Amino acid sequence: MELGVAIIILCFSAVFAAFMLLVFGLIYAEFSNSEIPLGVAQPGKLRLIHGLLVGIAVLGRIFQNMGLCTQMGFTRWVSNTLLPTSKVPPQLLIKDLTFAEVPVRVYQPKAPSSGHRRGLLYFHGGGWMLGSIDTYDDLCRYIAKESATVVVSVGYRLSPEHRYPAQLDDCLAATSHFLEVAEADYGVDPRKVAVGGDSAGGNLSAALCHRFVENDLPLPCAQILIYPVLQMADFNLPSYQQNQYVPLLYRTRMGFYYLHYLNGDTSLLEDMLDGRHVPVELELKYRKWLGPDNLAPEFKTRGFTPRAVTAHDEEVYDIMKDALEPSVSPLLTSDTVLCKMPPTFILTCEFDVLRDDGILFKKRLEDLGVPVTWWHVQDGFHGIVSFFDKGWLTYPSGKLALDHIVSFVKTL
């Protein structure tokens, strides 16, 4: 009997050891592809955060292969379940509601206001696949409390279950509903309602403003774009080359998110990264907006090799042509529409593949006379604002960046 128990324990230990070796092996393989350049804030802390995220993804992949759940489902569950819960600030009234059948969370300051309040529709990041109202709860609380603004966090549908334009449709529906009830239900002046978001949420904010202009609807009073994704035409900009292996967003991962948002055909990833989805005539047209000459010299000093214009693949273009529409790539919006954009706040990070998207969008807006407020986090990486208040994982430059966003909101 004792021998049998010993054998079972030995077998279990061997299986567990093999399992852990597999997990750590996969994490190490991912780590070996990462690169944290000199100048990144607190690099050791970033490696730890990256390791935790990679570990979650690896476990999700193993559980998916075992038939227990999907990798995406596990990642979402961990993100939402392991969040530390904090007490509702006494200054805020927080309610979970639905606006036009879209889940939202409303953060409403309790203190009386001498006049109408400001409003902000916030669209979370996460590559259109991850993120939720819960994962952005602390950030939205902070903005609402510190700026005395009614903040509406929008729980739009996610890919791969829902493809473009479901996410944008949800953001439009929630925003339109809030504009209708803002004054009567929340004491918010509809003329002082802004839209904003980070990463994919920044994309949705800019695309939403494009829709408002195209449909001749009253525009939000401002858009707040936090390291936004703004174009799917060129994945060889200087920031994509310099930061392609910098956590928390790799170049290939950005392409992966974009393809899942668009159509789910990840077999096109290499074609897209190499630019074979863009016809030569369009590539030459976009160069006036995306060309490296539009960037200041300091953004090319860490290395940049211009890519020669090459022939495209017509079949790839046919499958991916929606990627070049302004509602997917707001940076490719025509001048006649872009000049009507509202005042804009743009935040960029030096060590982020999306850095140049934001900087190029800033230049286009400024050239067309649109007021732009820009904050560049010199030691920042993609996602740093989310670590504005995470205990020992807090980044002071993330907190400073968020305070600049709050300051901008107060001016609306």
Side-chain angles (χ1 to χ4, degrees):
M1 182 70 177
E2 290 181 359
L3 180 61
V5 172
I7 292 173
I8 291 172
I9 293 174
L10 184 62
C11 291
F12 177 80
S13 299
V15 170
F16 180 75
F19 177 78
M20 293 308 296
L21 282 172
L22 175 62
V23 171
F24 286 116
L26 290 170
I27 292 174
Y28 176 78
E30 180 72 16
F31 257 46
S32 65
N33 291 326
S34 68
E35 175 185 297
I36 299 183
L38 289 174
V40 175
Q42 303 178 60
K45 190 183 292 186
L46 179 56
R47 285 197 182 278
L48 177 59
I49 295 169
H50 181 50
L52 290 171
L53 296 177
V54 170
I56 292 168
V58 168
L59 283 174
R61 191 189 312 164
I62 292 171
F63 292 154
Q64 178 173 286
N65 291 339
M66 294 171 66
L68 299 176
C69 60
T70 65
Q71 182 184 34
M72 187 57 60
F74 178 75
T75 302
R76 289 174 183 167
W77 177 81
V78 171
S79 299
N80 290 320
T81 305
L82 299 185
L83 287 170
T85 56
S86 56
K87 293 181 179 179
V88 175
Q91 304 95 326
L92 296 177
L93 177 65
I94 302 177
K95 290 183 179 180
D96 287 334
L97 303 169
T98 55
F99 285 178
E101 301 184 357
V102 179
V104 300
R105 182 170 294 168
V106 181
Y107 303 80
Q108 191 172 2
K110 290 182 180 178
S113 175
S114 57
H116 287 90
R117 291 195 184 277
R118 295 174 293 266
L120 170 65
L121 279 296
Y122 193 89
F123 312 129
H124 65 77
W128 305 279
M129 298 183 78
L130 299 166
S132 68
I133 289 173
D134 288 334
T135 56
Y136 278 77
D137 187 62
D138 285 346
L139 186 144
C140 290
R141 288 184 186 192
Y142 187 85
I143 295 174
K145 180 169 67 75
E146 296 299 321
S147 66
T149 298
V150 175
V151 175
V152 179
S153 181
V154 179
Y156 57 84
R157 288 170 289 175
L158 300 175
S159 68
E161 296 88 348
H162 305 280
R163 308 291 185 191
Y164 164 83
Q167 294 80 352
L168 186 55
D169 289 342
D170 285 355
C171 293
L172 176 60
T175 302
S176 299
H177 178 91
F178 182 66
L179 289 172
E180 290 175 3
V181 303
E183 186 169 16
D185 293 357
Y186 301 100
V188 170
D189 185 344
R191 297 167 300 179
K192 292 186 177 181
V193 174
V195 296
D198 62 299
S199 195
N203 172 281
L204 293 169
S205 301
L208 186 62
C209 287
H210 177 271
R211 271 203 183 181
F212 272 82
V213 172
E214 278 207 321
N215 294 310
D216 200 26
L217 297 171
L219 271 172
C221 70
Q223 57 180 343
I224 298 169
L225 312 180
I226 305 168
Y227 27 76
V229 191
L230 294 172
Q231 57 86 28
M232 203 172 171
D234 191 347
F235 290 84
N236 289 282
L237 295 172
S239 61
Y240 268 110
Q241 293 187 22
Q242 296 163 6
N243 303 312
Q244 61 180 318
Y245 302 120
V246 177
L248 299 170
L249 182 64
Y250 288 1
R251 174 175 176 259
T252 52
R253 177 57 53 169
M254 188 62 252
F256 173 84
Y257 286 144
Y258 242 139
L259 286 170
H260 270 293
Y261 177 47
L262 193 65
N263 56 33
D265 190 350
T266 55
S267 68
L268 301 174
L269 180 61
E270 289 303 319
D271 288 315
M272 183 181 72
L273 295 179
D274 289 341
R276 289 193 286 272
H277 63 303
V278 184
V280 172
E281 62 272 17
L282 287 180
E283 186 166 353
L284 293 173
K285 172 187 174 182
Y286 297 153
R287 278 199 169 184
K288 65 179 179 180
W289 301 329
L290 304 179
D293 291 343
N294 292 303
L295 296 167
E298 59 263 30
F299 296 115
K300 292 173 275 190
T301 55
R302 288 195 292 120
F304 169 61
T305 303
R307 187 180 68 86
V309 177
T310 56
H312 75 290
D313 185 314
E314 188 64 30
E315 183 179 353
V316 173
Y317 170 65
D318 285 341
I319 298 171
M320 294 190 58
K321 56 188 175 185
D322 283 347
L324 307 178
E325 290 296 320
S327 54
V328 177
S329 296
L331 186 49
L332 307 182
T333 301
S334 67
D335 288 349
T336 54
V337 172
L338 203 62
C339 69
K340 299 175 183 176
M341 290 291 110
T344 302
F345 178 96
I346 298 177
L347 184 141
T348 54
C349 292
E350 177 61 29
F351 301 100
D352 179 7
V353 292
L354 301 179
R355 179 196 69 199
D356 295 346
D357 279 27
I359 293 173
L360 292 169
F361 199 57
K362 166 184 173 291
K363 183 179 187 306
R364 285 205 65 199
L365 291 172
E366 288 177 334
D367 288 348
L368 294 168
V370 177
V372 177
T373 302
W374 177 45
W375 181 253
H376 185 62
V377 186
Q378 191 61 46
D379 62 355
F381 54 88
H382 190 83
I384 195 170
V385 173
S386 293
F387 296 92
F388 78 99
D389 186 21
K390 292 290 188 258
W392 56 280
L393 291 179
T394 295
Y395 277 83
S397 48
K399 170 68 162 54
L400 180 61
L402 184 55
D403 285 336
H404 277 272
I405 294 167
V406 168
S407 296
F408 177 79
V409 172
K410 287 180 178 179
T411 66
L412 302 178

